[in-house]
Amino acid sequence: VRNGAATLGQNFEQILNLDYPKNRLHLIYGEGDSSDGTSEALARLIDKHGATFAGISSITTQRNSPHVEHHIRWKREYQRRRRLGLSAVRNDILREALKLRTEWVLWLDADVIGLPRDLLQTLMSTGYKIVTPNCVTTPGGASYDLNAYLNVAEPDAVEYHRHLHDGIHQPPANYWVRRHLDDLRYLDRVHLNAVGGTVLLVHASVHRAGVIFPERPYRDLVETEAFGHLAHDLGITPLGLPRVEVIHAS
């Protein structure tokens, strides 16, 4: 979470509302380089609710991605440094999580403001070790997290390289090769090639085996996309749940 004070309270309320024993949940926030009072807001949450959970802690991340204005952060020229920085931050948080007796790791962005109460039970009951719901900004709307997708075709070399920018593959959002979770709502579940990180459940055994977020491009991809492809290549198939929706702040 960086400069997340505006949504942090709503996000925390969603965690409190989860229908799951709080004494089995340990929250770890990775925070750094904020300028909007996020660290102070986190301190207040920890002070007020620390006894509610197995633990709440915050680590100061030292390897932050570069600051990019929100409305231009999707531009191609920022993706490599921004998203590899996010991989590094995720791995810093992960190291702290794996010091605990962690069975599952739920990655949750601080600007997710709507979660089903039974989210954890739903994700864990699939029997898969990597599971993601459909992140949207409005119920029944388009997928927000376009890093979760199924590849349905393979482009030829000319087309593939047309979308290589700064050493990573950056096709348009409506790339014909991919199907996002909003395209797949006729299915209850679907195998994926890549995942997003807005809400992502990973069995800790996967991370402990060394499948973490690549800090250099893998298959010309970065961050959660690269993680999904790496896991897939190692025989750990990510699962998407197109009809299970979580709400991201717009």
Side-chain angles (χ1 to χ4, degrees):
V1 51
R2 179 169 70 183
N3 287 337
T7 59
L8 193 59
Q10 286 176 279
N11 179 266
F12 192 80
E13 285 297 323
Q14 296 302 305
I15 298 171
L16 284 174
N17 288 334
L18 289 173
D19 185 16
Y20 197 83
K22 302 302 183 292
N23 63 358
R24 297 183 62 187
L25 296 178
H26 192 118
L27 311 185
I28 301 177
Y29 288 90
E31 191 278 327
D33 209 16
S34 294
S35 57
D36 68 343
T38 291
S39 59
E40 293 82 2
L42 274 175
R44 290 192 294 271
L45 286 178
I46 292 171
D47 182 61
K48 182 177 180 179
H49 296 285
T52 305
F53 295 87
I56 309 180
S57 58
S58 175
I59 66 168
T60 301
T61 57
Q62 302 295 333
R63 302 189 294 163
N64 292 299
S65 58
H67 276 280
V68 180
E69 293 293 327
H70 188 273
H71 66 285
I72 60 170
R73 63 178 180 164
W74 304 114
K75 286 183 176 287
R76 289 171 171 172
E77 58 265 33
Y78 301 121
Q79 296 312 296
R80 183 184 178 104
R81 287 187 60 218
R82 186 180 75 84
R83 296 189 63 204
L84 288 177
L86 289 172
S87 284
V89 169
R90 288 188 186 277
N91 290 334
D92 287 346
I93 298 170
L94 181 60
R95 273 186 281 275
E96 294 300 311
L98 295 183
K99 292 176 183 177
L100 306 168
R101 295 176 60 188
T102 306
E103 185 177 1
W104 292 93
V105 178
L106 178 71
W107 295 97
L108 177 64
D109 278 5
D111 40 13
V112 171
I113 57 173
L115 298 173
R117 288 178 58 86
D118 62 350
L119 176 69
L120 287 174
Q121 294 92 328
T122 298
L123 299 182
M124 290 189 291
S125 68
T126 63
Y128 280 70
K129 293 187 174 182
I130 302 175
V131 194
T132 185
N134 187 5
C135 184
V136 298
T137 56
T138 56
S143 293
Y144 173 86
D145 196 339
L146 299 183
N147 294 323
Y149 56 79
L150 167 70
N151 286 332
V152 296
E154 186 172 342
D156 62 35
V158 173
E159 180 181 355
Y160 179 87
H161 285 88
R162 183 183 300 129
H163 298 302
L164 277 179
H165 300 273
D166 199 17
I168 59 175
H169 196 230
Q170 300 187 59
N174 60 348
Y175 194 36
W176 67 275
V177 169
R178 297 175 178 176
R179 296 294 181 271
H180 298 105
L181 291 176
D182 59 334
D183 300 316
L184 301 164
R185 282 196 174 102
Y186 59 91
L187 298 170
D188 289 324
R189 50 171 61 188
V190 60
H191 290 168
L192 299 175
N193 295 96
V195 295
T198 50
V199 180
L200 175 67
L201 186 73
V202 181
H203 198 274
S205 64
V206 174
H207 286 319
R208 286 195 171 97
V211 188
I212 60 174
F213 300 93
E215 296 185 24
R216 60 183 63 184
Y218 176 80
R219 284 180 166 262
D220 302 324
L221 298 168
V222 292
E223 207 217 345
T224 56
E225 279 183 272
F227 169 78
H229 277 266
L230 173 60
H232 195 278
D233 289 347
L234 293 172
I236 311 165
T237 303
L239 185 75
L241 302 180
R243 297 182 183 179
V244 177
E245 293 186 343
V246 298
I247 309 298
H248 194 283
S250 57

